[in-house]
Amino acid sequence: MNRSIHSFSYSPLASRVIFGAGRRADIAAEAARLDCKRPIIITTRDQRYLGEEVAQQFEPATSSLFDDATMHTPWEITQRALGQAKEAGVDCVIAIGGGSAIGLSKAIALQTDLPQVAVPTTYAGSEVTPIIGETRNGEKRTQRTLKVLPEVVIYDVDLTLSLPASISAASGLNAIAHAVEALYAQDENPVTSLIAEEGIAALATSLPDVITAPSSVNARRIAQYGAWLCGTCLGTVGMGLHHKICHVLGGTFNLPHAQTHAVMIAHVASYNAQAAPHAMASIARALEADSACAGLYDLARELRVPQALKDLGMPEEGIDRTVELVMKNAYSNPRSPDAKALRIMLERAWIGFPAAPIE
């Protein structure tokens, strides 16, 4: 195989990753390794029971449970959690759940420098990134800082077995989006590109089995492995148009995070296809498809995720506002943002048309 290796930089992130069934039993021990014993435990209301289970690993009355983590990390929720953490005198943050819980944990760490133990129950990948997205005054903004990178991540496949098939599918496509954008990132490198292709392949092969046999430990294990790899890509290199659009859509119209990624990923790949041929070849290879765009669209259809932004609650009149916000700030992307082309792409995604090349 002929390879051309260009000049690059690669900065691996310093997180401790623990992988395996039943490993959530190690949470208190991992907190102790960080010299911590008074955690605030972050969950959503639906997963409060997991937080209560974690609390049992600590001495009575030494932990505090906050169960109001909310999608897109609204600042008012963060303020409440910070107040509880201060009142309880905590020395670390433990997040158990999906992106909402982990996002709030990061928001607390950003303000306090408290160490974090993240225990994900979905495939979103945020747990291995130094990225935080927060929503203030109706606008979601992201930043990169090592202050929010969890010190320890525990992947317990047992925690994913109860994740509904529809959420598993959307969450998995969300993870794949990280790897897709890593392959055409301005700061892409050979290491991250290898990780990205392997992550896409692992999820593409396992997610259909997760949908048809949700209790399959092997399928869930492979999907979790793929999600970790894709999340590692998200944390290592910069993201482009896809993530910009999804953050605008989520923060402005309160659309569900993973489902928005699932709708948009094939469309944005089509938008970028001609400007990033090597990335598209890697994606197609990982998907075992004729093209990246067709492969992503076909996988989404097979997984029966939503196909249209209108089905997620986005108003049609929001398309122009989305274009305006996407064009507002500069960001890296292989194809320069063009308002007319973006509008066409978003119109197709709003209706639910298949992804198609956009001139």
Side-chain angles (χ1 to χ4, degrees), residues 41-171:
I41 302 166
I42 304 297
T43 72
T44 60
R45 292 177 184 177
D46 289 344
Q47 293 187 310
R48 179 183 175 89
Y49 69 98
L50 291 175
E52 293 172 342
E53 178 185 313
V54 171
Q56 293 176 10
Q57 295 187 31
F58 295 86
E59 292 295 324
T62 61
S63 63
S64 178
L65 176 59
F66 186 90
D67 68 352
D68 205 16
T70 304
M71 185 173 60
H72 304 306
T73 321
W75 174 238
E76 56 270 22
I77 298 293
T78 300
Q79 289 179 303
R80 286 177 44 217
L82 286 167
Q84 182 172 319
K86 182 178 180 180
E87 182 178 349
V90 305
D91 57 12
C92 67
V93 189
I94 297 172
I96 184 164
S100 296
I102 292 168
L104 178 54
S105 175
K106 289 181 169 186
I108 295 170
L110 181 64
Q111 300 297 326
T112 64
D113 283 329
L114 289 172
Q116 301 174 79
V117 177
V119 189
T121 60
T122 68
Y123 305 131
S126 174
E127 64 279 354
V128 286
T129 77
I131 302 169
I132 179 171
E134 296 181 284
T135 302
R136 302 193 191 193
N137 302 317
E139 185 174 348
K140 187 170 184 178
R141 295 188 177 184
T142 63
Q143 62 174 302
R144 268 179 192 261
T145 170
L146 290 174
K147 290 178 67 175
V148 305
L149 179 68
E151 281 73 10
V152 179
V153 181
I154 298 177
Y155 289 104
D156 184 340
V157 67
D158 294 343
L159 290 172
T160 67
L161 294 175
S162 61
L163 190 66
S166 60
I167 298 177
S168 299
S171 182

Side-chain angles (χ1 to χ4, degrees), residues 21-43:
R23 297 303 297 269
R24 66 185 182 278
D26 297 342
I27 291 174
E30 290 302 316
R33 288 184 73 257
L34 300 172
D35 199 26
C36 298
K37 57 184 179 182
R38 296 186 61 86
I40 182 169
I41 302 166
I42 304 297
T43 72

Side-chain angles (χ1 to χ4, degrees), residues 273 277 279-299:
M280 297 303 146
S282 294
I283 296 162
R285 186 164 55 242
L287 294 170
E288 297 183 356
D290 292 335
S291 75
C293 307
L296 290 167
Y297 179 75
D298 290 345
L299 178 61

